[in-house]
Amino acid sequence: MADEHSNDPDLDLLPAAARGDLDAFEALVRRYQHRVVSLARTLTGSPDEAEDLAQEVFVRVYKSLGAFRGDSLFRTWLYTVTVNVSRSHHARKRRQQDVWADSGADDDMPFDPPDAEDFEG
């Protein structure tokens, strides 16, 4: 039985990209950039965040290409990375919102600066 992933359309580019061939990696980015941005937009609901997350996805993929074992199609792995980056982004955003909510930064209390007399000895 033939390997089920032998028909992966990215097999021609993956070995070179994993060795650091930027042209091969750029070809993968061009091939999948629109789909990664679309998936990130669906997951975040924000076109601006989707663009930023897509950049982060491709940076992570570039750094991890040597670890890609080929247990799945490259695009399946790429989409999994996209989902994970989006989840991390949501969790980070939620933590930041929690910190701001707990800080009292949004309280409507006016700021009363101390009088100069309070600092005189």
Side-chain angles (χ1 to χ4, degrees):
M1 181 169 135
D3 182 346
E4 66 181 88
H5 302 297
S6 61
N7 62 349
D8 187 339
D10 304 310
L11 283 179
D12 59 330
L13 297 170
L14 286 171
R19 288 190 307 271
D21 181 332
L22 291 179
D23 291 333
F25 184 72
E26 286 177 18
L28 288 169
V29 171
R30 281 192 305 277
R31 187 175 287 177
Y32 290 104
Q33 185 171 15
H34 178 72
R35 290 183 233 180
V36 167
V37 170
S38 293
L39 177 56
R41 186 179 307 121
T42 298
L43 295 170
T44 64
S46 167
D48 294 334
E49 286 180 4
E51 292 288 337
D52 292 342
L53 291 178
Q55 287 181 355
E56 186 176 340
V57 165
F58 285 113
V59 168
R60 286 189 187 190
V61 165
Y62 182 76
K63 291 178 178 179
S64 303
L65 267 177
F68 177 66
R69 297 184 313 253
D71 294 340
S72 65
L73 296 175
F74 171 75
R75 69 175 170 256
T76 302
W77 181 64
L78 177 64
Y79 298 153
T80 300
V81 172
T82 304
V83 169
N84 290 338
V85 166
S86 295
R87 284 181 179 162
S88 295
H89 172 74
H90 279 296
R92 191 169 44 250
K93 204 169 156 182
R94 226 179 357 261
R95 282 191 305 273
Q96 288 172 346
Q97 288 171 344
D98 290 346
V99 167
W100 281 109
D102 291 343
S103 72
D106 293 332
D107 292 348
D108 291 329
M109 296 176 55
F111 175 69
D112 279 332
D115 293 331
E117 299 159 356
D118 293 340
F119 294 103
E120 293 177 2

